[in-house]
Amino acid sequence: MWRGIRVLFLSCLALAALVRADEHSHKYKDGEPVRLWVNKVGPYDNPQETYNYYYLPFCAPRDAGKPKHKWGGLGEVLQGNELIDSQLEVKFKVDVPKKVVCASVLDDGQAATFKKAVKKHYWYELFMDELPVWGFVGLPPEEAKDDQHIYIYTHKSFDINYNGDRIIQVNLTSEDLQPITSGSQVEFTYSVSWAETPIHFNRRFERYLDYNFFEHQIHWFSIFNSFMMVIFLTGLVAMILLRTLRNDYAKYTRDDDDIESLEHDISEESGWKLVHGDVFRPPPNLALLSALLGTGVQLALLVLFVILITIAGTLFEERGTILTVFIICYALTSYVGGYISGSYYARHDGKSWIRTMIITATLFPMLFFGIAFVLNTIAIAYHSLAAVPFGSIVVVLLIWMFISIPLCLLGTVVGRNWNGWPDNPCRVKRIPSPIPQKKWYLTAPVIALVGGLLPFGSIFIEMYFIFTSFWNYKVYYVYGFMLLVFLILTVVTVCVTIVGTYFLLNAENYHWQWTSFLSAASTALYVFLYSIHYFMFKTKMTGFFQTCFYFGYTLMFCLGLAIMCGALGYLGSSMFVRRIYRNIKCD
């Protein structure tokens, strides 16, 4: 029995070693088969509108009933990838002269499908040894004279470069134009040629990176401009703290024997000092604000962790890896969200902590899942690869239910018991003070709306690069820039929100909690408005499908950005408010 188990174990190890000797280890022996995987096709101007490669009447695999699929990680499936073995004969370092794959006579439906693909400028994606290869179905639509003169490429020429026993580059050239008419015979062919290259294996992905675009001088200038904005805003906040508040502190820290002068100053006092008995009053909708703060801090840590992990591991080289890391990190950081939410809610004497925990654990996922459900329904109706398979949806839900929610519950319990005691510098009066009427530009809605302008200005240029990489087939790899922009956004958001909170309190309006949150969150509003401009003037997207996916994905991004920025802005304002009221004699 034990001998049989040992033989089985050694057989499995040998099989694993055999499997990992090819595209897993990226090492091949001379003459060893190299798989060519077909992935998807779709209109070039609509990046998310993708379909199965055999949606077009190309040569199907010989074993059409059971084509071999290659399933990657969770992120790869969620991004709409479906790799199928093309069954083309490709062997390492073995040239293949022009070889017929298949020949077929196009019927009316197949001819119409190819014509539609050429008119909409369809592209397709292939993979060999984890390297992507792209090609177009036919000539660009503008080169077609009329509907009767539409041509497709019928020959694929693969030029493969290798170094030692590894594949370094795969180039595809589409050739042999043939007209598309019903009843015409089309012969699909391919050829393979191999050539040695001195490029090292660890540099083979560099050809997919657009250095001239991402490392343009304007990118560096935008970072410098944002850094100068940080210096200006931090200086402004320092001026408020060191100059404006110093005089106010002087009135409240005088000796008790200077009664006359103190009474005179108090009789003339105005501004933020008058609301010391109301400024720490619990905000309305306490449970919702607690959930938003916890989720926002969680998202901020999530973004930071994903950026750092991507920088350390160059995850942009692997399909779907960043999305997988994002999902796992979100689940693991749920503890932080529960801790922040539970402790904040308890410090303000909240009683329904279970309800708050449920809101914290479900708020952002439900918003995300709601938008994703609508988009997935549209993708299913269009038979697109963008539709997420049911199995992947179940996996995401299981991660959320059995990792994220329990960690959020644990964080809530720990937060409310360890950090849930009220520690306000001033007592809260029983009767709320009336809020005087102020000029329009000192009202809470105006301060909240204006508060997002400068943070948006600090990330405006980076938004262009991120949008272009996501919607225009560029690989975003400058995560060092993204880290700097994230830190700059954090500092600018906190500084702007502090200044807005100071103006609001000086207007004797003590409803600063929601105002500070919305002031920082309004950054996302300007990002969404910019996305409309980008859609109209920077892309050529058309159709209901792509429009829904563009604004659906953008709405997901903006909701996350709003919650994250709102939480950061509120925390900065909270520290500021506690600092200025801590040293005054307010009893």
Side-chain angles (χ1 to χ4, degrees), residues 443-578:
T443 57
V446 175
I447 292 176
L449 192 62
V450 174
L453 282 173
L454 285 179
F456 170 71
S458 68
I459 63 172
F460 167 71
I461 299 297
E462 197 64 28
M463 283 296 100
Y464 170 75
F465 287 101
I466 293 175
F467 274 49
T468 301
S469 65
F470 191 80
W471 302 111
N472 283 329
Y473 305 101
K474 292 185 182 294
V475 179
Y476 189 92
Y477 68 95
V478 284
Y479 285 90
F481 278 107
M482 182 179 286
L483 179 61
L484 288 176
V485 171
F486 173 74
L487 297 177
I488 289 172
L489 173 65
T490 301
V491 175
V492 172
T493 300
V494 169
C495 291
V496 169
T497 312
I498 287 175
V499 173
T501 300
Y502 178 74
F503 287 150
L504 188 72
L505 294 177
N506 260 339
E508 299 176 27
N509 186 341
Y510 49 85
H511 294 155
W512 63 274
Q513 292 96 336
W514 276 106
T515 303
S516 62
F517 181 90
L518 295 175
S519 176
S522 65
T523 304
L525 173 63
Y526 297 104
V527 172
F528 191 80
L529 293 176
Y530 171 72
S531 72
I532 298 176
H533 165 80
Y534 189 89
F535 178 83
M536 296 177 62
F537 299 103
K538 301 297 183 180
T539 71
K540 298 180 180 179
M541 299 178 186
T542 57
F544 177 76
F545 180 97
Q546 183 61 39
T547 301
C548 289
F549 267 77
Y550 178 87
F551 287 106
Y553 284 167
T554 304
L555 184 58
M556 289 181 184
F557 173 75
C558 289
L559 285 174
L561 181 66
I563 296 174
M564 183 189 75
C565 290
L568 294 176
Y570 175 86
L571 293 178
S573 294
S574 178
M575 294 175 61
F576 170 77
V577 171
R578 289 178 176 278

Side-chain angles (χ1 to χ4, degrees), residues 152-428:
I152 65 168
Y153 295 109
T154 59
H155 179 71
K156 294 180 176 67
S157 176
F158 295 95
D159 299 312
I160 308 174
N161 297 327
Y162 65 91
N163 187 340
D165 57 356
R166 292 186 168 188
I167 295 176
I168 305 300
Q169 293 180 354
V170 182
N171 300 295
L172 171 63
T173 304
S174 300
E175 301 171 332
D176 293 355
L177 289 169
Q178 290 192 20
I180 296 301
T181 57
S182 179
S184 63
Q185 182 173 356
V186 179
E187 187 176 74
F188 293 97
T189 59
Y190 80 103
S191 62
V192 180
S193 63
W194 294 82
E196 192 170 6
T197 179
I199 300 175
H200 293 288
F201 177 80
N202 56 5
R203 299 186 60 186
R204 69 174 189 162
F205 203 81
E206 293 181 359
R207 66 190 301 252
Y208 300 103
L209 309 180
D210 193 343
Y211 294 101
N212 293 330
F213 176 76
F214 284 105
E215 298 185 25
H216 193 275
Q217 185 177 1
I218 194 173
H219 206 167
W220 290 99
F221 177 76
S222 69
I223 298 293
F224 176 77
N225 183 56
S226 300
F227 183 72
M228 296 303 296
M229 185 184 300
V230 167
I231 295 177
F232 168 75
L233 288 174
T234 51
L236 182 61
V237 172
M239 183 187 69
I240 292 175
L241 289 173
L242 296 178
R243 298 185 59 184
T244 307
L245 298 179
R246 189 192 314 175
N247 296 330
D248 296 325
Y249 284 144
K251 298 177 184 179
Y252 283 85
T253 55
R254 289 176 181 171
D255 295 334
D256 293 337
D257 56 351
D258 197 359
I259 301 295
E260 267 184 43
S261 178
L262 182 60
E263 289 179 349
H264 175 73
D265 290 337
I266 293 178
S267 65
E268 295 182 352
E269 71 177 7
S270 63
W272 63 274
K273 302 174 292 297
L274 291 178
V275 295
H276 63 79
D278 299 279
V279 72
F280 295 106
R281 193 176 301 279
N285 300 311
L286 177 61
L288 178 59
L289 182 59
S290 301
L292 288 171
L293 293 179
T295 304
V297 174
Q298 178 186 354
L299 291 177
L301 287 178
L302 170 65
V303 172
L304 181 61
F305 288 161
V306 171
I307 292 176
L308 293 177
I309 292 172
T310 304
I311 293 175
T314 59
L315 301 185
F316 54 83
E317 296 184 3
E318 301 291 337
R319 298 186 307 275
T321 307
I322 295 178
L323 183 55
T324 302
V325 171
F326 185 92
I327 294 173
I328 299 301
C329 286
Y330 177 83
L332 296 178
T333 53
S334 296
Y335 173 84
V336 178
Y339 181 87
I340 298 296
S341 173
S343 59
Y344 180 82
Y345 188 74
R347 283 199 303 270
H348 288 80
D349 202 24
K351 304 300 182 182
S352 304
W353 69 272
I354 296 179
R355 174 171 169 265
T356 304
M357 185 275 296
I358 294 175
I359 296 176
T360 305
T362 60
L363 178 63
F364 183 71
M366 287 297 102
L367 291 173
F368 195 90
F369 288 154
I371 299 173
F373 176 78
V374 174
L375 297 180
N376 206 52
T377 303
I378 296 173
I380 292 174
Y382 276 77
H383 305 286
S384 171
L385 284 182
V388 180
F390 178 75
S392 300
I393 297 176
V394 172
V395 171
V396 174
L397 290 177
L398 290 177
I399 292 175
W400 175 55
M401 293 173 61
F402 292 101
I403 299 180
S404 180
I405 292 180
L407 285 177
C408 182
L409 172 60
L410 177 62
T412 302
V413 173
V414 173
R416 68 186 298 270
N417 286 283
W418 286 10
N419 193 27
W421 304 104
D423 57 349
N424 298 325
C426 300
R427 294 180 182 178
V428 177

